Amino acid sequence: PEDIKFFPGITPIVGGTEAEARAKEAELREQLSIEGGLAHMSGSIGADLGELDPHRPIGSYDFNAMTGLLKGLAETAPDRSWTFGDLAKRQMTGQFLVGSPEQIADRLASFAEAGADGFNLVYTTTPGTFVDFIEGVAPELQRRGLMRSENEPGTLRGRLFGQPRLPSTHPGAHVRRGNGGG
């Protein structure tokens, strides 16, 4: 288990205060493109959602005629009155962490305590999401000793696993090139 690293994707919505962050979140939610969300979901699941009416309730579709992936996606809806447009919005905003730098640092610290090894930052605006994180959250994480202020020498793998190659116990070690998989 120690050979597997867990890096959840998070989208920080950072404000100087929680109220500022909530206002940013509300503005972002208003600007969401259902068509863009469905296009992104289409790429993720390998099924074209562009043919679906994004405003039609999921409960009105014949699931027996749907592909497994599409049927599985529809089954994630909390109730049958949701639409695929509602699902697209939920997918686009599901990993929002909203708050002040201190509040977001608190949430990230709790994820780390639960076993997260790091985080993948997912942006909503570029460069805004990254700038807000770098200028607000990163200094707070560094102050708490939860984030380095400088890169350490070596490869990312070396920093993560303490050695330049995957350990032989790692599931990915069997696909090494040039040494018969070991």
Side-chain angles (χ1 to χ4, degrees):
E2 298 80 32
D3 293 344
I4 305 293
K5 300 296 179 185
F6 179 62
F7 292 82
I10 57 115
T11 303
I13 308 295
V14 185
T17 65
E18 182 178 356
E20 287 177 17
R22 293 283 172 206
K24 272 188 190 180
E25 176 192 25
E27 184 178 338
L28 286 168
R29 287 184 187 276
E30 281 189 32
Q31 295 174 7
L32 291 176
S33 164
I34 291 174
E35 291 77 19
L38 289 172
H40 183 76
M41 287 171 57
S42 293
S44 297
I45 68 169
D48 183 7
L49 301 179
E51 299 298 316
L52 299 173
D53 177 353
H55 306 292
R56 182 176 162 189
I58 287 172
S60 69
Y61 285 93
D62 175 13
F63 289 113
N64 293 327
M66 295 180 124
T67 66
L69 287 171
L70 211 49
K71 184 176 180 179
L73 180 63
E75 289 172 353
T76 67
D79 75 50
R80 309 295 274 174
S81 69
W82 274 46
T83 65
F84 278 101
D86 295 328
L87 285 175
K89 285 182 181 180
R90 188 174 96 181
Q91 288 290 107
M92 290 186 285
T93 61
Q95 64 270 63
F96 278 4
L97 287 183
V98 183
S100 68
E102 297 80 13
Q103 290 171 315
I104 291 176
D106 288 344
R107 293 285 309 279
L108 295 177
S110 70
F111 289 154
E113 290 170 12
D117 296 293
F119 301 92
N120 286 314
L121 294 181
V122 180
Y123 67 89
T124 55
T125 61
T126 185
T129 300
F130 300 123
V131 170
D132 290 349
F133 187 87
I134 291 165
E135 292 179 354
V137 180
E140 180 62 22
L141 291 171
Q142 290 167 344
R143 186 184 67 71
R144 297 178 187 197
L146 299 173
M147 182 178 175
R148 294 185 301 269
S149 57
E150 295 182 16
N151 274 336
E152 296 173 11
T155 65
L156 176 60
R157 179 173 287 137
R159 290 191 304 268
L160 290 176
F161 294 103
Q163 49 193 330
R165 296 178 59 134
L166 287 175
S168 61
T169 55
H170 190 284
H174 76 282
V175 295
R176 287 191 184 134
R177 293 183 184 194
N179 66 356

